[in-house]
Amino acid sequence: MTVIDKGISDFTSEGAQEMLPRQVAGGVEVLREVGSVLRLSEADAAVLADREDDAQTTILNMGPQHPSTHGVLRLMIELDGETVIRVKPVVGYLHTGMEKTGEELTYVQGATNNTRMDYLAPISNEMAYCLAAEKLLGVELPERAVWIRMLLAEVGRIISHVTFLATNGMDIAAISMMLYGFREREELLRFMEMVTGLRMNHNFIRVGGTAADLPDGWEARLTTILDNTERRLEEYDVLMTNQPIWQERLQGVGTITTEEALALGVTGPILRSTGYAWDLRKDMPYLAYDQVDFDVIVGQYGDCFDRYAIRLNEIRESIRICRQVMKRMPHGDYRVQDKKVTPPPRARIDESMEALIHHFKLFTEGIKVPEGEAYVGIESPRGELGCYMVSDGTGKPWRMRTRPPSYIHLQCLPHMMHRGVIADAVAVISSVDPILGEVDR
Amino acid sequence: MADDIPAADAADEAAVDPAPAPEELHGAPVSYSRGQKVLHVAREQLTDTVAKLRDDSYLQCLDVTAVDYLGYPSPRELPESITPERFELVVTLISHQLAERIRLRVQVPESDPTVDTLFTLHPGTEAMEREVFDMFGIHFTGHPDLTRVLMPEDWEGHPLRKDYAVGRIPVQFKGAPSR
């Protein structure tokens, strides 16, 4: 078993003490912070490595090319023997300047850019972008567009979470789970391909609605997939949840408290794993989440096992939501009938001069969004995905900021790993589920 | 959406009322942008205000980012007491108890782009402030590790500034076969 104690009491002169109420806990949090975050430049690390004495700690570089760092995350880990003392996440290897690019793309093109940030939940990214633009435009979405978005977002959540189960299994040497998880993912991606035309990076959610209506036969296809997935979740319970090795490997590993999570800006499954029930779909509903029935899954111990169990059970809740959406999918338009927002259908261009002009204007200049600024936050599979948009009245956003949950969650790695063993580092990274495309943007 | 309805009503009322008393919170003017609550804080008061807001149940700092308004085509909608500056630091806080977000807009002048860090109040702002420093060159006084995070350590310039040109890679197209 791993060393779980990681309270400040062992490292400060203040002795054993309870975590204080949030209002006065600022300084305490900072102390804790200083204890586990490694703040060392490359040059300093090199100097340290040259020192020859027995008391020295080892600095180990993990990544950026490491199979279990989920992409190109690099961790500088300070080790005392096998115990992790401090950690510094080093990111930026995948930085492609997407926020700068976003300022150069019109609102029609923007979603294409944003969908590539979090490549496991592309629909959420497009949706945050479009919701922010729609907030600035002040358009009211048609019912059907709202429900299509909700359906795809939930399917996207299932895809993201089964991929988490797969990679989490792989990192902890449950290779069969990796195979099963990716099998599930493929089936769901095929559904996404049927609806959007692409397996990933769909660019299906557009400002003012969706790119197309749902294809014929989507219900039957989705019903089959959801039934299969739900049945197989039972198998995963047998394969992993109730399996002693799996439990030993994850329980009590990488714990984080609610106070730490709130202080570090953590949202989503990691915050919920500490026993704090906060889900934007429930507490600040957007789209039509207030009209569907689902439960917010909450953990208790804030360890890797809770984070695994929460994601597993969120798949069940997402399936529940998908079934309700299927039953209640309204009819009607899937895009706003506003000529200044939605391009005319192809057939109209041949017969109407006005339609031709609108088409031309929309695709050359983009949608004219009134001046102003707005922030929209949605619950992506990883946490609060925000989009802060500033418009200057032209067809391109003046500033397009995405609040990336993964980037902020990386900050809790040092705290989760503190005083743990190096072998658990992989389990901890995996349980945070960072997507480096979103971290670096 | 639904969470913004009360705020939107407030904005409507402000528009209808001929001489509305300017709303204030902790000594800073409040405005509403698309129904979202915005607090215009002076640079010197930022940490104090965030601390007071934390006591008002705004427990979590969601986002710290900045906007460069260099060459913004029209005057910004700001309360009268606020002088627009080139940079604007945008801090988003959330209150889980009220289920409400609040946005703090802080004017940061080009000549002295420094702001006090929020790290002591919300340690989670460390990475976000590093990103703002990296992308905009705004310095945070008291930040424990203000270094570049997304760009390489030896990079020059701050990419998200408006006077930083978008890089272009020259592409050489093969000419169509001449006839």
Side-chain angles (χ1 to χ4, degrees):
Chain A
M1 278 305 285
T2 328
V3 186
I4 307 167
D5 69 309
K6 31 169 278 183
I8 46 155
S9 52
D10 300 346
F11 309 106
T12 63
S13 56
E14 294 171 62
Q17 60 180 30
E18 297 289 321
M19 186 63 88
L20 296 168
R22 187 66 195 93
Q23 282 78 359
V24 284
V28 179
E29 232 99 39
V30 175
L31 267 182
R32 259 289 279 113
E33 251 273 333
V34 173
S36 52
V37 181
L38 179 65
R39 298 196 176 84
L40 199 62
S41 71
E42 309 269 336
D44 292 341
V47 171
L48 267 183
D50 290 340
R51 269 178 45 199
E52 295 268 344
D53 57 50
D54 289 344
Q56 93 178 35
T57 51
T58 318
I59 293 198
L60 180 79
N61 272 298
M62 184 174 173
Q65 310 291 341
H66 191 283
S68 59
T69 51
H70 290 230
V72 283
L73 169 66
R74 174 178 155 212
L75 295 177
M76 282 168 84
I77 305 180
E78 187 187 29
L79 291 169
D80 179 11
E82 269 194 65
T83 313
V84 178
I85 310 290
R86 293 184 295 173
V87 178
K88 177 186 186 179
V90 183
V91 298
Y93 295 95
L94 218 54
H95 180 59
T96 49
M98 285 169 130
E99 289 185 8
K100 187 79 173 173
T101 312
E103 293 172 6
E104 297 292 316
L105 299 177
T106 65
Y107 292 97
V108 180
Q109 302 165 321
T112 326
N113 177 41
N114 267 45
T115 191
R116 279 157 175 78
M117 288 182 177
D118 180 351
Y119 42 76
L120 283 190
I123 289 285
S124 302
N125 286 268
E126 298 166 19
M127 199 151 69
Y129 181 91
C130 292
L131 284 175
E134 283 152 11
K135 188 95 188 156
L136 285 170
L137 274 168
V139 293
E140 187 75 25
L141 280 180
E143 275 272 287
R144 189 170 171 86
V146 170
W147 287 74
I148 294 178
R149 283 182 179 194
M150 219 159 67
L151 178 81
L152 293 182
E154 290 312 313
V155 175
R157 193 182 311 275
I158 303 175
I159 293 176
S160 175
H161 282 347
V162 291
T163 316
F164 162 79
L165 293 180
T167 52
N168 197 28
M170 185 169 66
D171 289 343
I172 305 165
I175 303 292
S176 24
M177 188 58 232
M178 193 264 285
L179 299 172
Y180 296 148
F182 276 103
R183 174 189 65 187
E184 251 43 279
R185 176 180 148 84
E186 277 311 311
E187 285 179 7
L188 286 152
L189 283 182
R190 259 177 245 131
F191 171 75
M192 289 304 245
E193 188 183 8
M194 176 190 178
V195 175
T196 69
L198 292 165
R199 288 172 73 247
M200 288 166 75
N201 304 335
H202 314 285
N203 187 25
F204 187 70
I205 313 254
R206 305 282 172 87
V207 176
T210 58
D213 206 348
L214 292 170
D216 291 338
W218 66 274
E219 281 158 309
R221 183 82 171 264
L222 187 60
T223 311
T224 321
I225 296 175
L226 291 183
D227 289 349
N228 275 341
T229 311
E230 194 174 38
R231 206 181 58 243
R232 287 169 184 167
L233 289 180
E234 308 287 328
E235 296 173 15
Y236 302 156
D237 273 339
V238 178
L239 179 67
M240 301 194 298
T241 316
N242 299 323
Q243 188 218 75
I245 301 173
W246 185 261
Q247 293 175 353
E248 285 279 305
R249 194 78 173 78
L250 291 181
Q251 285 178 353
V253 171
T255 48
I256 188 168
T257 64
T258 308
E259 286 80 2
E260 285 170 351
L262 287 175
L264 289 170
V266 168
T267 48
I270 306 181
L271 179 60
R272 290 195 285 276
S273 77
T274 66
Y276 195 87
W278 179 259
D279 188 322
L280 288 177
R281 292 176 293 169
K282 200 74 160 180
D283 297 295
M284 294 173 80
Y286 53 98
L287 296 181
Y289 278 112
D290 46 352
Q291 297 172 40
V292 288
D293 183 32
F294 66 99
D295 292 327
V296 177
I297 311 290
V298 178
Q300 187 175 359
Y301 303 103
D303 58 1
C304 289
F305 189 83
D306 273 0
R307 291 191 280 276
Y308 151 78
I310 283 178
R311 293 199 176 97
L312 181 73
N313 286 304
E314 273 186 8
I315 299 178
R316 294 198 167 98
E317 295 305 315
S318 289
I319 292 175
R320 249 175 96 186
I321 298 177
C322 284
R323 292 214 171 108
Q324 293 173 54
V325 175
M326 268 198 285
K327 235 179 253 160
R328 298 173 53 185
M329 178 64 76
H331 295 282
D333 292 327
Y334 58 91
R335 293 197 86 156
V336 171
Q337 290 307 307
D338 180 341
K339 292 188 176 66
K340 302 289 179 198
V341 176
T342 305
R346 185 67 189 83
R348 284 286 297 155
I349 299 173
D350 295 339
E351 43 192 56
S352 156
M353 188 64 199
E354 204 189 335
L356 181 65
I357 294 169
H358 277 127
H359 182 272
F360 182 74
K361 283 278 189 188
L362 277 177
F363 283 99
T364 50
E365 292 174 4
I367 304 161
K368 288 269 191 304
V369 173
E371 277 173 46
E373 37 115 47
Y375 174 93
V376 169
I378 62 165
E379 184 80 24
S380 93
R382 262 151 282 282
E384 172 156 348
L385 178 78
C387 189
Y388 176 68
M389 204 177 268
V390 181
S391 171
D392 59 347
T394 61
K396 296 172 183 173
W398 182 260
R399 171 95 170 94
M400 191 277 300
R401 151 79 173 169
T402 304
R403 178 205 190 264
S406 298
Y407 178 65
I408 290 150
H409 290 174
L410 280 187
Q411 294 184 100
C412 56
L413 281 181
H415 306 282
M416 289 176 178
M417 289 186 191
H418 190 54
R419 306 303 290 181
V421 292
I422 182 78
D424 286 337
V426 171
V428 171
I429 300 171
S430 171
S431 78
V432 171
D433 196 19
I435 299 301
L436 271 292
E438 183 184 62
V439 171
D440 293 340
R441 283 156 288 139
Chain B
M1 304 243 148
D3 55 291
D4 293 321
I5 289 167
D9 289 347
D12 289 345
E13 278 164 27
V16 173
D17 195 346
E23 193 183 335
E24 283 202 353
L25 186 65
H26 298 305
V30 174
S31 71
Y32 289 91
S33 168
R34 305 294 195 274
Q36 299 174 342
K37 202 173 185 180
V38 184
L39 194 58
H40 300 268
V41 191
R43 190 158 54 123
E44 296 75 23
Q45 262 93 55
L46 177 64
T47 40
D48 289 348
T49 312
V50 172
K52 282 176 193 159
L53 284 171
R54 197 178 65 173
D55 297 339
D56 294 350
S57 86
Y58 288 91
L59 287 186
Q60 204 173 27
C61 179
L62 283 179
D63 194 18
V64 177
T65 185
V67 185
D68 181 359
Y69 280 100
L70 180 73
Y72 192 73
S74 49
R76 274 172 271 165
E77 279 178 35
L78 291 171
E80 279 176 15
S81 55
I82 303 291
T83 327
E85 299 283 358
R86 173 174 171 183
F87 296 112
E88 211 175 78
L89 193 74
V90 184
V91 180
T92 310
L93 305 172
I94 189 165
S95 160
H96 295 150
Q97 201 181 327
L98 308 172
E100 189 182 69
R101 296 192 189 91
I102 190 168
R103 191 156 65 236
L104 276 63
R105 288 170 68 179
V106 184
Q107 304 296 323
V108 182
E110 184 183 0
S111 53
D112 174 30
T114 50
V115 185
D116 284 343
T117 182
L118 295 175
F119 175 74
T120 39
L121 297 162
H122 298 285
T125 58
E126 182 184 351
M128 299 179 254
E129 286 179 351
R130 272 180 82 186
E131 192 187 337
V132 171
F133 165 73
D134 194 356
M135 293 295 156
F136 290 92
I138 295 175
H139 290 258
F140 291 89
T141 323
H143 189 283
D145 185 22
L146 200 61
T147 48
R148 288 193 179 270
V149 57
L150 294 181
M151 303 303 283
E153 275 183 20
D154 54 355
W155 194 264
E156 278 174 29
H158 300 284
L160 278 178
R161 287 189 174 192
K162 286 286 174 184
D163 51 5
Y164 185 99
V166 181
R168 292 194 197 283
I169 300 169
V171 181
Q172 192 173 8
F173 293 101
K174 289 209 172 101
S178 52
R179 288 175 191 162

Coordinates of all heavy atoms in Angstrom, one line a residue, chain A residues 68-115:
Chain A
S68 N 2.6 6.6 -20.9 CA 1.5 6.8 -20.0 C 1.3 8.3 -19.6 O 0.7 8.6 -18.6 CB 1.6 6.0 -18.7 OG 2.8 6.3 -18.1
T69 N 2.0 9.2 -20.3 CA 1.7 10.6 -20.0 C 0.7 11.2 -20.9 O 0.5 12.4 -21.0 CB 3.0 11.4 -20.1 OG1 3.6 11.1 -21.4 CG2 4.0 11.1 -19.1
H70 N -0.1 10.3 -21.6 CA -1.2 10.8 -22.4 C -0.9 11.8 -23.4 O -1.5 12.9 -23.4 CB -2.3 11.2 -21.5 CG -3.0 10.1 -20.7 ND1 -4.3 9.9 -20.6 CD2 -2.4 9.1 -20.0 CE1 -4.5 8.9 -19.9 NE2 -3.4 8.4 -19.5
G71 N 0.1 11.6 -24.2 CA 0.5 12.7 -25.1 C 1.9 13.2 -24.8 O 2.8 12.4 -24.6
V72 N 2.0 14.5 -24.8 CA 3.4 15.0 -24.6 C 3.5 15.8 -23.3 O 4.0 16.9 -23.3 CB 3.8 15.8 -25.8 CG1 4.2 14.9 -26.9 CG2 2.7 16.8 -26.2
L73 N 3.0 15.2 -22.2 CA 3.2 15.9 -20.9 C 4.6 15.4 -20.4 O 5.0 14.3 -20.5 CB 2.1 15.4 -20.0 CG 2.3 15.7 -18.5 CD1 2.2 17.2 -18.3 CD2 1.2 15.0 -17.7
R74 N 5.3 16.4 -19.8 CA 6.5 16.1 -19.2 C 6.5 16.4 -17.7 O 6.0 17.5 -17.4 CB 7.7 16.8 -19.9 CG 9.0 16.7 -19.2 CD 10.1 17.4 -19.9 NE 11.1 17.7 -19.1 CZ 11.9 18.8 -19.2 NH1 11.7 19.7 -20.1 NH2 12.9 19.0 -18.3
L75 N 6.9 15.5 -16.9 CA 6.9 15.8 -15.5 C 8.3 15.7 -15.0 O 9.1 14.8 -15.2 CB 6.1 14.7 -14.7 CG 4.6 14.7 -15.0 CD1 4.0 13.6 -14.2 CD2 3.9 16.0 -14.6
M76 N 8.7 16.8 -14.3 CA 10.0 16.8 -13.5 C 9.7 16.3 -12.1 O 9.0 17.0 -11.4 CB 10.7 18.1 -13.5 CG 11.3 18.5 -14.8 SD 11.8 20.3 -14.8 CE 13.4 20.2 -14.0
I77 N 10.1 15.1 -11.8 CA 9.8 14.6 -10.5 C 11.0 14.5 -9.6 O 12.0 14.0 -10.0 CB 9.2 13.1 -10.7 CG1 8.1 13.2 -11.7 CG2 8.8 12.6 -9.4 CD1 7.4 11.8 -11.9
E78 N 10.9 15.1 -8.4 CA 12.0 15.1 -7.5 C 11.7 13.9 -6.5 O 10.7 13.8 -5.9 CB 12.0 16.4 -6.6 CG 13.2 16.4 -5.7 CD 13.2 17.6 -4.8 OE1 12.1 18.1 -4.5 OE2 14.2 18.1 -4.4
L79 N 12.7 13.0 -6.5 CA 12.5 11.7 -5.8 C 13.5 11.6 -4.7 O 14.6 12.0 -4.8 CB 12.8 10.5 -6.8 CG 11.8 10.3 -7.9 CD1 12.4 9.3 -8.8 CD2 10.5 9.8 -7.3
D80 N 12.9 11.1 -3.6 CA 13.8 10.7 -2.5 C 13.7 9.2 -2.4 O 12.7 8.7 -1.9 CB 13.3 11.4 -1.2 CG 14.2 11.0 0.0 OD1 15.3 10.3 -0.2 OD2 13.8 11.2 1.1
G81 N 14.6 8.5 -3.0 CA 14.5 7.0 -3.1 C 13.3 6.8 -4.1 O 13.4 7.2 -5.2
E82 N 12.3 6.1 -3.6 CA 11.1 5.9 -4.5 C 10.0 6.8 -4.2 O 9.0 6.8 -4.8 CB 10.6 4.4 -4.3 CG 11.3 3.5 -5.3 CD 10.6 2.2 -5.4 OE1 9.4 2.2 -5.8 OE2 11.1 1.2 -4.9
T83 N 10.2 7.7 -3.2 CA 9.1 8.6 -2.8 C 9.1 9.9 -3.6 O 10.2 10.5 -3.8 CB 9.2 8.9 -1.3 OG1 9.4 7.7 -0.6 CG2 7.9 9.5 -0.8
V84 N 8.0 10.3 -4.1 CA 7.9 11.5 -4.8 C 7.8 12.7 -3.8 O 7.0 12.7 -2.9 CB 6.6 11.5 -5.7 CG1 6.5 12.9 -6.5 CG2 6.7 10.4 -6.7
I85 N 8.7 13.6 -4.0 CA 8.7 14.8 -3.1 C 7.9 15.9 -3.8 O 6.9 16.4 -3.4 CB 10.1 15.3 -2.7 CG1 10.9 14.1 -2.2 CG2 10.0 16.4 -1.7 CD1 10.5 13.6 -0.8
R86 N 8.5 16.4 -4.9 CA 7.9 17.5 -5.6 C 7.8 17.2 -7.1 O 8.6 16.4 -7.6 CB 8.7 18.8 -5.4 CG 8.8 19.3 -4.0 CD 9.5 20.6 -3.9 NE 10.9 20.4 -4.2 CZ 11.8 21.4 -4.3 NH1 11.4 22.7 -4.2 NH2 13.1 21.2 -4.6
V87 N 6.8 17.8 -7.7 CA 6.6 17.5 -9.1 C 6.4 18.9 -9.9 O 5.8 19.8 -9.3 CB 5.3 16.7 -9.3 CG1 5.1 16.4 -10.8 CG2 5.5 15.4 -8.6
K88 N 6.9 19.0 -11.0 CA 6.7 20.1 -11.9 C 6.2 19.6 -13.2 O 6.9 19.0 -14.0 CB 7.9 20.9 -12.1 CG 7.7 22.1 -13.0 CD 9.1 22.8 -13.2 CE 8.8 24.1 -14.0 NZ 10.1 24.8 -14.3
P89 N 4.9 19.9 -13.6 CA 4.4 19.6 -14.9 C 5.0 20.6 -15.9 O 4.9 21.8 -15.7 CB 2.9 19.7 -14.8 CG 2.6 19.9 -13.4 CD 3.8 20.5 -12.8
V90 N 5.6 20.1 -17.0 CA 6.1 21.0 -18.0 C 5.3 20.7 -19.3 O 5.2 19.6 -19.8 CB 7.6 20.6 -18.3 CG1 8.1 21.6 -19.3 CG2 8.4 20.7 -17.0
V91 N 4.6 21.8 -19.7 CA 3.7 21.6 -20.9 C 4.2 22.6 -22.0 O 5.1 23.3 -21.9 CB 2.3 21.9 -20.5 CG1 1.8 20.9 -19.5 CG2 2.1 23.3 -20.0
G92 N 3.5 22.5 -23.1 CA 3.7 23.4 -24.2 C 4.3 22.8 -25.4 O 4.5 23.4 -26.4
Y93 N 4.5 21.5 -25.4 CA 5.0 20.8 -26.5 C 4.1 20.7 -27.7 O 4.5 20.4 -28.8 CB 5.5 19.3 -26.1 CG 6.6 19.3 -25.1 CD1 6.3 19.2 -23.8 CD2 7.9 19.5 -25.5 CE1 7.3 19.2 -22.8 CE2 8.9 19.5 -24.6 CZ 8.6 19.4 -23.3 OH 9.7 19.4 -22.3
L94 N 2.8 20.9 -27.4 CA 1.8 20.7 -28.4 C 1.2 22.1 -28.8 O 0.1 22.1 -29.4 CB 0.7 19.8 -27.9 CG 0.1 18.8 -28.9 CD1 1.2 18.0 -29.6 CD2 -0.9 17.9 -28.2
H95 N 1.8 23.2 -28.3 CA 1.2 24.5 -28.5 C 1.2 24.9 -29.9 O 2.2 24.9 -30.6 CB 2.0 25.5 -27.6 CG 1.4 26.9 -27.8 ND1 0.1 27.2 -27.4 CD2 2.0 28.0 -28.2 CE1 -0.1 28.5 -27.6 NE2 1.0 29.0 -28.1
T96 N 0.0 25.2 -30.4 CA -0.1 25.6 -31.8 C -0.8 26.9 -32.0 O -1.2 27.3 -33.1 CB -0.9 24.5 -32.6 OG1 -2.1 24.2 -31.9 CG2 -0.1 23.3 -32.8
G97 N -0.9 27.6 -30.9 CA -1.5 29.0 -31.0 C -2.9 29.0 -31.4 O -3.3 29.8 -32.3
M98 N -3.8 28.1 -30.9 CA -5.1 28.0 -31.4 C -5.9 29.3 -31.0 O -6.9 29.7 -31.7 CB -5.8 26.8 -30.8 CG -5.3 25.6 -31.5 SD -5.9 24.1 -30.7 CE -6.6 23.2 -32.0
E99 N -5.6 29.9 -29.9 CA -6.3 31.1 -29.5 C -6.0 32.2 -30.4 O -6.9 33.1 -30.8 CB -6.0 31.5 -28.0 CG -6.7 30.5 -27.1 CD -6.5 30.9 -25.6 OE1 -6.0 32.0 -25.3 OE2 -6.9 30.1 -24.8
K100 N -4.7 32.3 -30.9 CA -4.4 33.3 -31.8 C -5.0 33.0 -33.2 O -5.5 33.9 -33.9 CB -2.8 33.3 -32.0 CG -2.3 34.4 -32.9 CD -2.2 35.8 -32.1 CE -1.5 36.8 -33.0 NZ -1.6 38.1 -32.3
T101 N -5.0 31.8 -33.6 CA -5.7 31.4 -34.8 C -7.2 31.7 -34.8 O -7.7 32.1 -35.8 CB -5.5 29.8 -35.0 OG1 -4.1 29.5 -34.8 CG2 -5.9 29.4 -36.4
G102 N -7.8 31.5 -33.6 CA -9.2 31.8 -33.4 C -9.5 33.2 -33.7 O -10.6 33.5 -34.1
E103 N -8.6 34.1 -33.5 CA -8.8 35.5 -33.9 C -8.8 35.8 -35.4 O -9.2 36.9 -35.8 CB -7.8 36.4 -33.1 CG -7.9 36.4 -31.6 CD -6.7 37.1 -31.0 OE1 -5.9 37.7 -31.7 OE2 -6.7 37.1 -29.7
E104 N -8.2 34.9 -36.1 CA -8.1 35.1 -37.5 C -9.2 34.4 -38.3 O -9.3 34.5 -39.5 CB -6.7 34.5 -38.0 CG -5.5 35.2 -37.4 CD -5.4 36.6 -37.9 OE1 -5.6 36.8 -39.2 OE2 -5.2 37.5 -37.1
L105 N -10.0 33.5 -37.6 CA -11.0 32.8 -38.3 C -12.4 33.4 -38.0 O -12.6 33.9 -36.9 CB -11.0 31.3 -37.8 CG -9.8 30.5 -38.0 CD1 -9.9 29.2 -37.4 CD2 -9.5 30.4 -39.5
T106 N -13.2 33.4 -39.0 CA -14.6 33.9 -38.8 C -15.4 33.0 -37.9 O -15.0 31.8 -37.7 CB -15.3 34.1 -40.2 OG1 -15.5 32.8 -40.7 CG2 -14.5 34.9 -41.1
Y107 N -16.6 33.5 -37.5 CA -17.4 32.6 -36.6 C -17.9 31.4 -37.4 O -18.3 30.4 -36.8 CB -18.6 33.4 -36.2 CG -18.2 34.5 -35.2 CD1 -18.0 35.8 -35.6 CD2 -18.0 34.2 -33.9 CE1 -17.6 36.8 -34.8 CE2 -17.6 35.2 -33.0 CZ -17.4 36.5 -33.4 OH -17.0 37.5 -32.6
V108 N -17.9 31.4 -38.7 CA -18.3 30.3 -39.5 C -17.2 29.2 -39.4 O -17.4 28.0 -39.3 CB -18.6 30.6 -40.9 CG1 -19.0 29.4 -41.7 CG2 -19.7 31.7 -41.0
Q109 N -15.9 29.7 -39.4 CA -14.8 28.7 -39.4 C -14.3 28.3 -38.0 O -13.7 27.3 -37.9 CB -13.6 29.4 -40.1 CG -13.9 29.9 -41.5 CD -12.8 30.8 -42.1 OE1 -12.3 31.7 -41.3 NE2 -12.4 30.7 -43.3
G110 N -14.7 29.2 -37.1 CA -14.1 29.0 -35.7 C -14.2 27.7 -35.1 O -13.3 27.2 -34.5
A111 N -15.4 27.0 -35.3 CA -15.7 25.8 -34.6 C -14.7 24.7 -35.1 O -14.3 23.8 -34.4 CB -17.1 25.3 -34.8
T112 N -14.3 24.8 -36.4 CA -13.3 23.9 -36.9 C -12.0 23.9 -36.2 O -11.4 22.9 -36.0 CB -13.0 24.3 -38.4 OG1 -14.2 24.8 -39.0 CG2 -12.5 23.1 -39.2
N113 N -11.6 25.1 -35.7 CA -10.4 25.2 -35.0 C -10.6 24.7 -33.6 O -9.8 23.9 -33.1 CB -10.1 26.7 -35.0 CG -8.8 27.1 -34.2 OD1 -7.9 26.3 -34.2 ND2 -8.9 28.1 -33.4
N114 N -11.7 25.1 -32.9 CA -11.9 24.7 -31.5 C -12.1 23.3 -31.3 O -11.7 22.7 -30.3 CB -13.1 25.5 -31.0 CG -12.7 26.8 -30.3 OD1 -11.9 27.5 -30.9 ND2 -13.2 27.0 -29.2
T115 N -12.7 22.6 -32.3 CA -13.0 21.2 -32.1 C -11.7 20.4 -32.0 O -11.7 19.3 -31.4 CB -13.8 20.7 -33.3 OG1 -14.3 19.4 -33.0 CG2 -13.1 20.6 -34.6

